[in-house]
Amino acid sequence: MKRRGARIYCGTPKELSFLARRLRAGELVGVPTETVYGLAADAFNARACRKIFTAKGRPASDPLIVHLASARELKRVAIPNDAALRLAAAFWPGPLTLVLPKTSAVPDIVSSGLPSVAVRVSAHPLFRKLLRLTGRPLAAPSANPFGYVSPTTAGHVREGLGQKIRYILDGGPARIGLESTIVDVRDPRRPRLLRPGLVSHRELVRALGRPIARPRRPARAAAAQIAPGQLLRHYSPRTPVILHPRLADRATTGRARNEAWLFLRRPRHARGENIFWLDSKGELPGVARQLFSMLRRLDAASFAAIHVEAARGPGLAEAINDRLRRAAAR
Ligand code: TXA
Ligand code: MG
């Protein structure tokens, strides 16, 4: 049987209640968040959540993030502690995910059999409306085929999963463009940063008032049990990505023409059809916002390689470089 492609909804009140009913009936919906688009299912419905893994081609060992309409619902899915409540008060709604011991309401498929669950309250108004209408927590990983670049528009979701799902809610281009910061607070005395994001290590430490361990090197497969999504090769275009500490702003002549050169800021001298930049002034929020859609665009343009410049500095640069290292991993 031939499947119809996914349909994109722009979120009128009628459409939102329709999509909420589809979710309650156990179907999948592509949803906007401020970080990247997610592929959502009713988090209390194990069969619905299993469909997420099938649609993405995601291994069952890679757990999902559970999204709540508000922090007040935290107890439905997790067992909070003082560290979690403090971080939630400081950063929710927003791009921060907390790993906590889970309640029995969360099916094993969501947590990949782990006794913990990752939880987040998104700041995207349309997604939050959908969550309230659905009346259930929604499990959602990024809405891309497993291993590929995360989607930051409804169009990206359709390109990657359009033949596997039927419903996509369009909330515009993602405002942040990188996945949420993930912090493991299962033990409130020994919090650990698992994935860098817009909420930086420094901001987390300031809000919590205690030290937070840094991520383990992603190559360590041994860390797989606690951060299964931290596989080194991830977020990868098909075209080889080569990461440079800095790209010299010289004339195009001499640069391989069949290879793309991606600068953080608009270069002063380099020009040509293979020269690209992420933000005219190289400002990091703009770089983050454009990064994934640019990687997709360059991947589609059949260059032999993509050379890209690393960001410099702490904070958001750390999150950008984390994604670039993964995209460049062979
Ligand atoms: O911004 C985001 O976080 C987006 C939007 C949709 O919310 N979601 C997202 O999910 O990026 P994704 O594809 O990265 O998958 C969730 C990741 C897993 O790969 C894993 O690293 C982590 O969340 N995770 C989930 N449950 C976990 C757990 N119990 N312990 C440790 N890490 C967990
Ligand atoms: Mg993902």
Side-chain angles (χ1 to χ4, degrees):
M1 191 177 75
K2 202 155 180 266
R3 288 205 64 152
R4 285 170 298 146
R7 182 165 160 205
I8 295 183
Y9 297 80
C10 58
T12 61
K14 217 170 135 191
E15 288 177 352
L16 284 176
S17 41
F18 168 73
L19 294 174
R21 283 198 304 277
R22 299 325 302 153
L23 284 163
R24 278 200 301 273
E27 301 229 35
L28 304 183
V29 178
V31 294
T33 88
E34 74 277 42
T35 57
V36 300
Y37 274 69
L39 180 59
D42 175 356
F44 290 155
N45 180 337
R47 271 189 52 203
C49 291
R50 196 161 290 122
K51 292 184 192 168
I52 294 178
F53 291 86
T54 313
K56 279 183 59 96
R58 182 178 178 110
S61 57
D62 196 359
L64 310 177
I65 294 175
V66 173
H67 298 76
L68 307 173
S70 93
R72 285 189 302 276
E73 293 180 0
L74 184 55
K75 283 196 181 137
R76 292 177 82 183
V77 297
I79 300 156
N81 53 47
D82 70 309
L85 294 177
R86 212 178 256 226
L87 292 177
F91 300 106
W92 282 355
L96 177 68
T97 296
L98 300 174
V99 174
L100 282 167
K102 79 175 192 71
T103 66
S104 57
V106 178
D108 280 341
I109 180 86
V110 170
S111 64
S112 300
L114 294 172
S116 58
V117 64
V119 195
R120 163 161 122 81
V121 177
S122 162
H124 197 290
L126 210 51
F127 181 34
R128 296 186 77 195
K129 261 187 206 160
L130 182 64
L131 274 157
R132 280 195 295 271
L133 284 169
T134 309
R136 316 245 166 101
L138 294 176
S142 53
N144 49 309
F146 181 69
Y148 196 61
V149 182
S150 292
T152 54
T153 68
H156 293 162
V157 179
R158 185 160 59 185
E159 276 160 36
L161 299 175
Q163 298 307 310
K164 315 258 173 164
I165 64 175
R166 295 178 62 189
Y167 314 105
I168 301 170
L169 176 59
D170 189 349
R175 178 165 57 80
I176 295 169
L178 297 180
E179 302 86 348
S180 60
T181 304
I182 305 183
V183 187
D184 176 5
V185 279
R186 288 172 305 160
D187 178 349
R189 286 158 310 171
R190 291 170 48 207
R192 175 178 290 275
L193 181 61
L194 298 181
R195 178 171 73 185
L198 179 69
V199 177
S200 68
H201 182 263
R202 183 206 289 239
E203 289 176 284
L204 290 165
V205 170
R206 195 183 299 143
L208 198 53
R210 74 190 76 155
I212 298 177
R214 294 279 186 166
R216 293 195 181 90
R217 292 304 291 173
R220 286 272 152 274
Q225 270 327 296
I226 177 59
Q230 309 301 50
L231 303 169
L232 183 56
R233 187 168 160 70
H234 212 86
Y235 314 103
S236 296
R238 285 170 288 269
T239 315
V241 172
I242 300 153
L243 183 57
H244 300 266
R246 197 177 276 264
L247 283 185
D249 179 6
R250 50 183 149 72
T252 322
T253 341
R255 277 187 219 276
R257 290 193 179 241
N258 61 341
E259 300 182 354
W261 300 82
L262 179 55
F263 292 81
L264 298 183
R265 62 183 302 164
R266 185 189 182 124
R268 262 190 234 153
H269 307 292
R271 285 285 178 282
E273 285 181 357
N274 58 345
I275 303 294
F276 303 87
W277 57 91
L278 289 162
D279 181 86
S280 57
K281 293 186 178 154
E283 284 169 7
L284 294 184
V287 167
R289 200 177 302 126
Q290 290 306 320
L291 180 63
F292 287 158
S293 63
M294 182 62 89
L295 287 177
R296 284 168 173 265
R297 182 177 145 200
L298 298 182
D299 204 19
S302 62
F303 287 107
I306 303 168
H307 296 271
V308 52
E309 183 176 28
R312 285 175 288 278
L316 194 48
E318 210 176 304
I320 291 167
N321 290 341
D322 171 77
R323 306 312 189 272
L324 287 177
R325 274 196 298 276
R326 292 170 201 281
R330 281 281 105 187

